[in-house]
Amino acid sequence: RLEPRMMEIHFGDFTHRPWAEERAALEAALAAAEEQGWRLKWAGGESRGDLYDRVASFHDELRRDTVIVGHGGSIRMLRAARLGLKMPELMHFEAANAGIVVLTGDGETRHGY
């Protein structure tokens, strides 16, 4: 089934814009996000904190083994919720573009990257 809470972060004004066209503005926004942190919202979009909150609410409802396919940002937040990572740890937590991550009660195993 489709789970809206696992959608990738909403990049607002940067959504669907070509990287070459928006590179300088996007790099400035990323630098601001690093400096200002977790709750800085993308213009017209959401913050990493917003993404974490909605993904964590989905995680908290899981009651059985589940296969999830998603984008890097939402999977990153799911891993953080599952592993109990705090914001400073999460800000530098690797988010690979492809692979399989098996999350268990005591950690994770990564395959394919």
Side-chain angles (χ1 to χ4, degrees), residues 54-66:
R54 67 178 160 80
V55 169
S57 75
F58 170 69
H59 168 266
D60 293 347
E61 292 176 9
L62 291 175
R63 298 291 179 256
R64 62 179 186 208
D65 290 348
T66 306

Side-chain angles (χ1 to χ4, degrees), residues 31-102:
E34 280 299 315
E35 285 182 25
Q36 297 177 31
W38 188 246
R39 294 290 172 188
L40 178 74
K41 289 187 184 287
W42 288 90
E46 50 182 354
S47 69
R48 287 180 279 192
D50 295 333
L51 175 61
Y52 178 84
D53 291 345
R54 67 178 160 80
V55 169
S57 75
F58 170 69
H59 168 266
D60 293 347
E61 292 176 9
L62 291 175
R63 298 291 179 256
R64 62 179 186 208
D65 290 348
T66 306
V67 174
I68 299 169
V69 177
H71 288 273
S74 56
I75 295 297
R76 179 183 187 192
M77 298 303 179
L78 183 66
R79 290 167 66 201
R82 181 69 182 167
L83 299 173
L85 298 178
K86 303 297 180 208
M87 195 266 296
E89 297 168 300
L90 177 58
M91 295 293 276
H92 300 287
F93 195 54
E94 178 188 344
N97 284 330
I100 297 170
V101 179
V102 178

